[in-house]
Amino acid sequence: MNPPKSPAAEPFLTRETIASSISNTSGSLADSDLLAGGSRETQNEHLVLLSSSTLAGDALGLAAKLVAQEMLAATADFKVLEDLNNAARERYAEVVDDTLLGVCAADIAELNGMNEDLGTCSTQVLLLERQISGIEQVVAELDDYTKRLEDSVRRRIVYPYVTK
């Protein structure tokens, strides 16, 4: 799957285009009607003031265009990178799903089954422990009873025949 192509950014402004724009602006100022009339010195002062402010404005405008175009180019680069990342993620997601995740899912299912079996076994073990403790108690009582019975039998049967 090929990533979609991003739109091409406008070409950057070069020094030549900025210089030609500035020279065109200063030439049009010299020919303007604003400078008609007045002394030559006044005309030069107006020309210098107008040309410097206009040149500064044009330079700032061109710099703003340059920054905007650089931002467009950077945005386009990031968009291409994002598209490549998304395409790679989709491609490798299929690979991982087929191999590693399938094996892990099967192992997890098997472990969950074993966990349930161990849960039932542990409850059975607890019941058996309770029953064993009850049986041990009964065995202890029977042991005491047999000892008493033995003593009683010895006294009645064995000892009367023993000579003193």
Side-chain angles (χ1 to χ4, degrees):
M1 173 184 205
N2 292 333
K5 294 186 177 183
S6 65
E10 296 177 26
F12 290 153
L13 293 175
T14 62
R15 289 184 185 199
E16 291 80 25
T17 58
I18 294 173
S20 67
S21 175
I22 291 172
S23 66
N24 288 342
T25 305
S26 64
S28 65
L29 285 175
D31 297 335
S32 69
D33 291 337
L34 293 174
L35 298 177
S39 69
R40 179 90 173 138
E41 195 173 292
T42 307
Q43 286 180 353
N44 285 339
E45 288 176 8
H46 285 294
L47 181 61
V48 168
L49 288 176
L50 287 175
S51 66
S52 64
S53 66
T54 305
L55 290 176
D58 288 345
L60 287 175
L62 291 174
K65 285 182 184 178
L66 179 66
V67 169
Q69 288 177 349
E70 286 180 5
M71 291 298 293
L72 285 174
T75 303
D77 287 344
F78 282 118
K79 179 66 177 157
V80 167
L81 184 62
E82 182 181 10
D83 292 342
L84 287 173
N85 282 340
N86 288 336
R89 183 183 311 122
E90 290 173 6
R91 171 69 180 117
Y92 289 115
E94 294 170 3
V95 171
V96 169
D97 284 342
D98 292 342
T99 57
L100 183 62
L101 289 180
V103 170
C104 287
D107 289 344
I108 288 173
E110 183 180 344
L111 288 174
N112 284 337
M114 288 180 184
N115 192 22
E116 289 176 5
D117 292 341
L118 287 175
T120 56
C121 288
S122 68
T123 56
Q124 290 174 353
V125 166
L126 288 175
L127 289 174
L128 286 173
E129 284 179 350
R130 288 181 188 154
Q131 290 174 354
I132 288 172
S133 65
I135 290 173
E136 286 176 346
Q137 188 176 9
V138 168
V139 166
E141 289 175 7
L142 284 174
D143 193 33
D144 286 342
Y145 176 73
T146 55
K147 285 181 183 177
R148 284 184 300 187
L149 187 61
E150 251 181 42
D151 288 342
S152 169
V153 168
R154 278 189 200 152
R155 275 186 261 141
R156 291 187 186 164
I157 297 176
V158 176
Y159 292 122
Y161 299 109
V162 174
T163 56
K164 295 184 182 180

